[in-house]
Amino acid sequence: RDPFVAYDEETERFYSVAINYVRRVPGEGIFDANLAIGRTASRSLEDWCKEAKPVFAETNDNHDPECPQLLKIGNRWYVFTSFYGFSRHGVGRLAYLIGDQGMDPYSVDWTAKEIHYLTSEDICAAQVAPKGDAFYLFGWIPKQYDAGFWVVHVNLPTQVYQLEDGLLGARMDEETTDLIRGERYFELDSAKDVGPGSSVALTAAKRCDIEVDFLLEGETLILDYAEKKLQIEITKKAGKGAAKVIFNHMTLSEMELDEEQLESQGTIRIISEADMLEIYMNNRYYMPARIGVKLGEEQVSIESDAATIYRAEAYCLKTAQEVKAQ
C-alpha cells in the first residue's frame, strides 16, 4: 500500500518503498505493518527483484507508516513516513530515517536506524518535493484542533535542508518570505531585558508575521495571547529544550529543541491567520498548529523569567490578490 518509486542515477536502478502488511486480520482489528524497500535488477521498471527488505526492526500494530517516500538529499538516502494513530488527528507528523553516506537505499540497514521527526503533529501526511536543487515540505493542517478530520488547508512552502550530521532542518526561504510578507507595522526600538515584572508588548494584526530574536537566560520564554488563552512557550529545563503551542491549558503542538541552540541567540517566527499558526525556530524547526480560536487583532506579551529580546518586528501578511500580482 502507498507505493513510492525513486530512481538512483549512480546504480541505474529503481527503488520502491511501500507499506507491507505482515499480518492483517480486519475482523479482529489486526493490522501489523512495516515498510518494505525493493529494487529492480536493471533499469527496467518491469524487472523487479523478488526480495524486499524491511525498514523497521519491529512491526507496527495499528500504526501504519503511511505515505512513505525514498528521497536522496546530498549523498544520503532518506525514508520519510507519517505514522497513523499516535496523534489526535489520526495520521501523524513527518518522521524520517537517515541512510548511510554513499550507500544505495537497498543496501542500508534501515532496521538499525533511529526515527527522527521533522515537524510537529499538526502537519499531516506530509510529502517532500524537489524544486531544482532544493526540497519543500507540504502537508495538510487539520480541520479541527482536537480531532482527526481530513484536509482543509495546505501549509506554506517550507524548505527541507540537510545538516552536516545528516539530520534535516526546516525553514521558510527568502523567496517565500518576500511573497507573503507585507508592510512592517511594529519594530522594537532597542534591546530589552524581560523578567518578573517586565515584558515586551506588541499588537498582532489579524493576519500577521511576527519575528523575535531572543536569548533565553532563564528557563521559559512565552508569547502570551492572554485574551484568547493562547501561549507559545519555549523552555530550557533539565537538559532539554522544547517549544509548545498551548490553548486553554491544552498542548496542541510541540517539538523537542536542541538545547545547545537555546544557549545562544535564537529566533522565533510566528505566521498567523484565523485559527492557524505556522511557527519557525532558528531556521531549523517547523511547528504548525491549528488552534481552538480564530485570531483577530490581538495583544501579545513577550514574557520570561530571564531573557533578552534583541529584536521584535511585526508585518502584515499580503492578501492572495497581492501575492498573485507579483
Side-chain angles (χ1 to χ4, degrees):
R1 186 189 139 196
D2 290 5
F4 182 92
V5 175
Y7 180 70
D8 180 36
E9 293 182 354
E10 291 188 9
T11 58
E12 297 184 334
R13 293 191 183 190
F14 290 92
Y15 296 86
S16 68
V17 63
I19 299 175
N20 176 27
Y21 287 107
V22 180
R23 184 166 179 248
R24 180 181 173 119
V25 188
E28 298 179 21
I30 298 173
F31 298 89
D32 287 343
N34 205 329
L35 289 178
I37 291 180
R39 66 174 175 178
T40 58
S42 65
R43 293 183 181 181
S44 173
L45 275 168
E46 297 180 351
D47 185 19
W48 287 89
C49 298
K50 292 182 178 180
E51 182 182 354
K53 291 189 175 182
V55 170
F56 304 111
E58 298 181 1
T59 59
N60 299 279
D61 181 15
N62 286 289
H63 294 296
D64 291 359
E66 298 187 328
C67 311
Q69 289 182 284
L70 267 176
L71 291 175
K72 190 174 186 180
I73 301 176
N75 64 348
R76 297 179 187 265
W77 283 88
Y78 292 80
V79 172
F80 294 92
T81 191
S82 297
F83 290 99
Y84 179 83
F86 292 118
S87 163
R88 69 177 66 90
H89 305 302
V91 62
R93 57 183 175 157
L94 187 60
Y96 68 96
L97 286 77
I98 306 171
D100 301 296
Q101 295 188 63
M103 193 173 288
D104 72 76
Y106 192 80
S107 300
V108 173
D109 180 9
W110 297 103
T111 63
K113 302 302 182 184
E114 181 183 355
I115 298 172
H116 302 275
Y117 293 94
L118 189 57
T119 68
S120 60
E121 72 171 64
D122 278 17
I123 190 81
C124 301
Q127 298 280 274
V128 178
K131 179 189 176 187
D133 294 330
F135 294 85
Y136 290 84
L137 178 157
F138 294 95
W140 51 270
I141 297 174
K143 183 178 180 180
Q144 291 184 213
Y145 76 98
D146 58 352
F149 293 98
W150 281 84
V151 60
V152 176
H153 295 101
V154 175
N155 66 299
L156 292 167
T158 297
Q159 187 179 16
V160 176
Y161 66 97
Q162 188 181 58
L163 302 170
E164 288 185 5
D165 56 4
L167 289 169
L168 299 175
R171 63 192 175 196
M172 179 173 286
D173 65 11
E174 292 183 5
E175 180 182 359
T176 306
T177 294
D178 291 341
L179 278 172
I180 68 169
R181 183 177 274 183
E183 178 184 357
R184 183 174 64 191
Y185 66 87
F186 174 85
E187 182 179 14
L188 188 67
D189 54 9
S190 62
K192 184 174 181 179
D193 293 330
V194 295
S198 64
S199 61
V200 170
L202 60 88
T203 299
K206 187 174 181 179
R207 301 171 62 255
C208 70
D209 182 351
I210 294 172
E211 197 163 37
V212 178
D213 291 345
F214 66 92
L215 176 62
L216 179 55
E217 296 146 317
E219 292 188 341
T220 307
L221 180 77
I222 295 174
L223 284 81
D224 189 10
Y225 298 65
E227 291 186 4
K228 294 296 173 68
K229 299 181 180 180
L230 173 69
Q231 291 184 332
I232 299 165
E233 179 183 272
I234 299 167
T235 57
K236 182 178 62 175
K237 297 179 181 179
K240 296 181 180 179
K244 298 180 180 180
V245 176
I246 302 168
F247 170 66
N248 199 19
H249 307 291
M250 178 181 180
T251 298
L252 303 183
S253 190
E254 62 182 309
M255 285 201 75
E256 292 184 2
L257 307 178
D258 183 348
E259 190 200 7
E260 290 184 3
Q261 293 219 343
L262 294 177
E263 296 298 334
S264 56
Q265 182 174 318
T267 301
I268 184 169
R269 181 177 179 185
I270 303 121
I271 299 170
S272 62
E273 181 174 11
D275 57 351
M276 289 181 294
L277 304 177
E278 296 194 51
I279 299 169
Y280 298 86
M281 272 281 300
N282 292 355
N283 275 331
R284 176 171 173 180
Y285 302 98
Y286 177 48
M287 189 172 68
R290 176 77 71 176
I291 58 178
V293 63
K294 288 189 177 181
L295 299 175
E297 185 175 285
E298 309 292 343
Q299 297 304 305
V300 180
S301 177
I302 305 175
E303 305 166 358
S304 176
D305 55 339
T308 301
I309 307 302
Y310 292 102
R311 179 178 66 97
E313 298 180 351
Y315 300 80
C316 293
L317 289 179
K318 294 176 182 176
T319 64
Q321 291 74 22
E322 289 174 323
V323 171
K324 290 178 181 177
Q326 295 182 85

